[in-house]
């Protein structure tokens, strides 16, 4: 079980510097409704749960989380708030440049909010000529971790404030869950989610099955996820920072003047 203090790095600058970390971990969450039973900060808490376990497993440190992100799909629910994708991009760009100034050139971004589509573009751009950004958790591996934990529905079916998110909070922050207020809600066809947003498909703000959640499932999901991420994490750590950009040999024969 974690406490609210786990969302912040408690080590001093001297502590972090003395262990010469291999990379930094940046959790990204949101401030948006999660039904009647989960707190507004649910995504931030889950991102920090994953990040804290990475800190326990690897030589890294956690930056304070980004707690507001691209939650426009929750605009139908007070008091959800959001920032633009360009603002989120600018924030993480500034943070990564500040870390690189200090010589820390690898950053693992732990994103727990599905609406932050801009993060994939950011990672791809930053990694064109450098092995710099790792975006976690990988959806396929998260699905495997969820299934292995006994959670019956995939992220697609259980997309918001459902069994998975409720289980993680029951495991790590049980005092913040009002389980007696949880209500399952099914909305399998959401073809125009990008057009209508969350409120069109769920008056409760839930899409998923929180009534089936348990602390045991949450702990299993997190421990399984960290195990499944191990090969990717080790590869990320071992990769050299710079990439070698090579021209294709065949271009010379097609365009002899190049």
């Amino acid at each position: 079980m974690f406490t609210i203090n786990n969302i912040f790095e408690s080590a001093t600058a001297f502590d972090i510097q003395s262990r010469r970390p291999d990379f930094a971990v940046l959790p990204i969450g949101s401030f948006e409704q999660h039904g009647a039973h989960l707190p507004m900060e649910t995504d931030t808490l889950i991102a920090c749960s994953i990040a804290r376990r990475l800190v326990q497993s690897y030589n890294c440190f956690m930056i304070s989380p980004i707690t507001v992100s691209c939650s426009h799909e929750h605009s139908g629910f007070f008091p959800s708030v959001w920032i633009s994708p360009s603002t989120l991009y600018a924030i993480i760009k500034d943070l990564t440049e500040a870390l690189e100034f200090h010589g820390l050139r690898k950053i693992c971004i732990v994103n727990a909010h599905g609406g932050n589509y801009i993060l994939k573009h950011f990672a791809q751009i930053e990694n064109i000529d450098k092995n710099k950004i790792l975006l976690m958790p990988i959806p396929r591996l998260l699905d495997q971790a969820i299934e292995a934990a006994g959670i019956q529905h995939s992220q697609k079916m259980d997309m918001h404030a459902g069994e998975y998110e409720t289980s993680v909070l029951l495991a790590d922050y049980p005092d913040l869950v009002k389980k007696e207020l949880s209500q399952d809600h099914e909305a399998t066809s959401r073809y125009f989610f990008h057009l209508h947003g969350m409120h069109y498909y769920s008056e409760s703000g839930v899409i998923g099955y929180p009534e089936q959640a348990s602390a045991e499932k949450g702990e299993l999901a997190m421990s399984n996820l960290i195990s499944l991420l191990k090969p990717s994490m080790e590869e990320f750590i071992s990769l050299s920072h710079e990439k070698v950009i090579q021209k294709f040999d065949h271009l010379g024969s097609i365009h002899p003047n190049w």
Side-chain angles (χ1 to χ4, degrees):
M1 185 174 73
F2 289 162
T3 67
I4 290 295
N5 291 333
N6 287 102
I7 71 173
F8 298 109
E9 176 62 71
S10 58
T12 67
F14 179 82
D15 293 335
I16 297 172
Q17 185 177 7
S18 64
R19 68 175 187 256
R20 301 177 65 86
D22 295 317
F23 61 97
V25 181
L26 172 61
I28 301 181
S30 67
F31 191 82
E32 64 188 31
Q33 70 80 28
H34 276 77
H37 65 293
L38 295 181
M40 302 285 291
E41 300 87 354
T42 291
D43 291 343
T44 299
L45 294 170
I46 292 174
C48 289
S49 289
I50 299 170
R52 186 58 63 188
R53 285 173 169 86
L54 292 177
V55 170
Q56 293 170 350
S57 301
Y58 300 96
N59 180 28
C60 60
F61 73 98
M62 189 176 90
I63 306 172
S64 296
I66 296 175
T67 58
V68 179
S69 61
C70 304
S71 298
H72 305 77
E73 69 273 23
H74 295 279
S75 60
F77 293 91
F78 175 85
S80 303
V81 295
W82 53 86
I83 58 177
S84 69
S86 58
T87 298
L88 180 59
Y89 190 107
I91 291 171
I92 57 177
K93 177 68 172 176
D94 286 351
L95 287 174
T96 55
E97 287 182 354
L99 289 169
E100 193 160 8
F101 172 83
H102 289 296
L104 197 63
R105 299 177 175 179
K106 289 182 180 290
I107 300 96
C108 176
I109 297 175
V110 177
N111 175 49
H113 173 54
N116 292 331
Y117 312 115
I118 193 69
L119 295 178
K120 288 185 178 180
H121 298 290
F122 175 81
Q124 288 173 336
I125 292 169
E126 291 296 302
N127 288 328
I128 286 175
D129 60 349
K130 299 175 182 178
N131 294 306
K132 181 179 180 180
I133 304 294
L134 182 66
L135 184 57
M136 288 290 184
I138 299 169
R140 173 179 56 83
L141 298 183
L142 181 55
D143 271 333
Q144 290 179 23
I146 287 171
E147 183 179 0
I151 295 172
Q152 299 179 21
H153 301 91
S154 67
Q155 294 177 81
K156 182 178 180 180
M157 299 286 291
D158 191 63
M159 72 163 290
H160 191 73
E163 185 179 6
Y164 163 65
E165 291 187 327
T166 304
S167 292
V168 174
L169 262 68
L170 284 171
D172 288 351
Y173 310 96
D175 294 342
L176 302 181
V177 181
K178 298 177 180 179
K179 188 66 161 55
E180 70 280 3
L181 299 180
S182 65
Q183 292 182 325
D184 292 353
H185 177 72
E186 188 171 291
T188 54
S189 298
R190 305 184 301 273
Y191 298 113
F192 296 101
F193 191 83
H194 67 284
L195 177 64
H196 297 300
M198 188 77 177
H199 193 267
Y200 185 82
Y201 295 98
S202 173
E203 292 184 1
S204 69
V206 174
I207 295 179
Y209 308 89
E211 294 181 49
Q212 301 178 29
S214 71
E216 293 75 17
K217 291 177 181 178
E219 179 55 42
L220 277 173
M222 289 292 97
S223 60
N224 290 337
L225 179 62
I226 297 304
S227 296
L228 289 167
L229 292 180
K230 185 177 180 180
S232 300
M233 295 301 302
E234 291 181 348
E235 180 182 356
F236 174 65
I237 295 168
S238 65
L239 287 171
S240 62
H241 177 59
E242 300 298 336
K243 287 183 177 178
V244 177
I245 307 299
Q246 295 179 337
K247 293 182 179 179
F248 291 101
D249 292 338
H250 70 272
L251 291 180
S253 61
I254 300 174
H255 301 283
N257 294 327
W258 284 13

